[in-house]
Amino acid sequence: MVFKRVRNATGWPCQFRKFTVALCFGNLDSAFNVSNSIKVLGDFDPVIVPESFAEIGHFALVLAMIVALVQSVLPMAGAARGNHSWMATAAPSAIVQLLCTATAFGCLLYSFSVSDFTVVNVAQNSNSLQPMIYKISSTWGNHEGSMVLWVLILALFGGMVALFGGNLPPTLKARTLSVQSMVAFGFLLFILATSNPFERLNPPPIDGRDLNPLLHDIGLALHPPMLYVGYV
């Protein structure tokens, strides 16, 4: 199966396959000619879209887990020993953990939004014909993606404590961020060990299986993020 990356009239990168492009326009004669099939679509300029977003997201999750481990140990030990330099690592570690987790979630969101079916999670929970709102909600409409969203919201609140918790006593702030990071480390370890959302699929399917039909509702699309914010 050969893939061709093109950019549509809105400037958004799209992924077309030979058969799909030809069939959509009833041009079966050019089903085996990618360039002719694309010409039928109009004035498209082929562009190269990076294929490494899944790997970047996976690396960001690994880095977030390492940072979470450091954040869960050093500030707590510093609070116990009265070591202010160790306690001072809590805030920057929380911010780095938030950036890494946000990067991972952004990469997963991108994979769903462009229907990158080389990612198992996307192929099993999305479809190229879905409206964009449901492609986006498919990011957390599955076990793996919802776990990443949960860790992101947990890291977000930790980052807020790090940035806006200057009025807290240093020991309290260090212990708070340390405990938050212990929880995050457990979830990140579970994600990477058993529920990798960036696992690759080779060869990729022509199209995905679609989001669970029960989740094709705007209320259910918005429900998980709001619920997780309430839990955290």
Side-chain angles (χ1 to χ4, degrees), residues 61-81:
L61 280 181
V62 174
L63 188 58
M65 184 184 69
I66 295 173
V67 173
L69 178 61
V70 174
Q71 183 185 336
S72 63
V73 174
L74 274 184
M76 186 67 76
R81 293 171 174 262

Side-chain angles (χ1 to χ4, degrees), residues 148-164:
V148 178
L149 177 63
W150 171 262
V151 175
L152 173 61
I153 295 176
L154 189 64
L156 176 61
F157 276 80
M160 291 173 65
V161 172
L163 291 173
F164 306 112

Side-chain angles (χ1 to χ4, degrees), residues 93-103 152 155-160 163:
S93 297
I95 295 172
V96 172
Q97 183 189 155
L98 172 60
L99 293 176
C100 291
T101 309
T103 299
L152 173 61
L156 176 61
F157 276 80
M160 291 173 65
L163 291 173

Side-chain angles (χ1 to χ4, degrees), residues 72-207:
S72 63
V73 174
L74 274 184
M76 186 67 76
R81 293 171 174 262
N83 189 320
H84 289 277
S85 61
W86 288 7
M87 287 190 288
T89 63
S93 297
I95 295 172
V96 172
Q97 183 189 155
L98 172 60
L99 293 176
C100 291
T101 309
T103 299
F105 185 79
C107 289
L108 186 62
L109 181 64
Y110 173 84
S111 298
F112 273 95
S113 63
V114 299
S115 299
D116 184 2
F117 299 127
T118 63
V119 178
V120 175
N121 194 21
V122 179
Q124 292 180 345
N125 299 283
S126 186
N127 188 282
S128 61
L129 299 180
Q130 284 184 166
M132 181 55 68
I133 181 62
Y134 295 127
K135 287 185 180 182
I136 294 175
S137 65
S138 294
T139 308
W140 54 78
N142 56 85
H143 168 69
E144 294 84 359
S146 64
M147 294 289 288
V148 178
L149 177 63
W150 171 262
V151 175
L152 173 61
I153 295 176
L154 189 64
L156 176 61
F157 276 80
M160 291 173 65
V161 172
L163 291 173
F164 306 112
N167 59 332
L168 297 174
T171 54
L172 175 61
K173 183 177 180 180
R175 284 172 174 151
T176 300
L177 291 175
S178 181
V179 172
Q180 174 269 327
S181 193
M182 290 178 187
V183 177
F185 174 77
F187 276 102
L188 288 166
L189 180 62
F190 176 80
I191 291 171
L192 291 169
T194 67
S195 306
N196 182 11
F198 298 105
E199 182 181 353
R200 286 291 190 179
L201 180 61
N202 187 26
I206 294 177
D207 212 340

Side-chain angles (χ1 to χ4, degrees), residues 2 13 30 35 54 155-156 176 205:
V2 178
S30 59
S35 60
L156 176 61
T176 300

Side-chain angles (χ1 to χ4, degrees), residues 205-216:
I206 294 177
D207 212 340
R209 293 183 182 178
D210 198 3
L211 178 66
N212 187 329
L214 295 176
L215 301 179
H216 282 241

